[in-house]
Amino acid sequence: MEPFTEKVVRLLKAVPPGRIATYGQIARLAGSPRGARQVARILHSMSRSHGIPWQRIVNAKGEIAIADPDTARAQADLLEAEGIPVLGGKRVDLRTYRWDPGFEGEEETPGPGSL
DNA sequence: CGAATGACAATGT
DNA sequence: TACATTGCCATTC
């Protein structure tokens, strides 16, 4: 197992239930800020027969990036099962459910009302 | 080893 | 805000 892939898999398994993470965030934590696509490749490859919570991984827009409608809908169902409402059937509240490593207990977002 | 791919991200229009 | 284009970097052929 390559170190990058191993880190990514470990991070994916480190995402707590009821929370979601973006590819870019996982990639950054894995050591490659621009390796978001590799994270995607790893999910598509590893999630086949491994215990990886791939459903908690969405793109930077908070949308399900899966091409297969069936798989994408399956993820949406799993996310709702985790307690995460899927808006429009494919979008989630990144602002609210984004996993912040080290700041799990943190809450609230500054928002546009700060300026 | 070199070229192509990809469950993305960021920037520009 | 939404859509289109370019950049990216490990994995695969």
Side-chain angles (χ1 to χ4, degrees), chain A residues 19 98-107:
Chain A
R19 289 267 175 69
R98 176 114 95 67
W99 173 52
D100 295 307
F103 302 92
E104 299 179 35
E106 196 48 72
E107 187 60 40

Side-chain angles (χ1 to χ4, degrees), chain A residues 7-21:
Chain A
K7 288 181 183 176
V8 172
V9 172
R10 184 176 298 181
L11 287 167
L12 292 175
K13 292 160 65 178
V15 179
R19 289 267 175 69
I20 54 180

Side-chain angles (χ1 to χ4, degrees), chain A residues 22-105:
Chain A
T22 67
Y23 292 89
Q25 187 163 18
I26 295 297
R28 177 188 286 187
L29 294 173
S32 297
R34 310 294 177 229
R37 315 188 62 188
Q38 284 59 264
V39 179
R41 178 175 291 279
I42 291 166
L43 260 77
H44 187 76
S45 187
M46 306 293 289
S47 62
R48 289 183 180 179
S49 307
H50 296 272
I52 300 177
W54 55 275
Q55 64 267 26
R56 298 178 194 150
I57 311 301
V58 296
N59 63 20
K61 293 168 297 188
E63 303 176 43
I64 297 175
I66 307 177
D68 293 273
D70 183 67
T71 312
R73 213 164 57 80
Q75 182 183 16
D77 185 69
L78 288 169
L79 289 176
E80 289 187 319
E82 293 284 313
I84 302 175
V86 181
L87 311 177
K90 54 191 312 181
R91 218 156 72 185
V92 300
D93 277 87
L94 260 185
R95 182 180 63 176
T96 305
Y97 295 97
R98 176 114 95 67
W99 173 52
D100 295 307
F103 302 92
E104 299 179 35

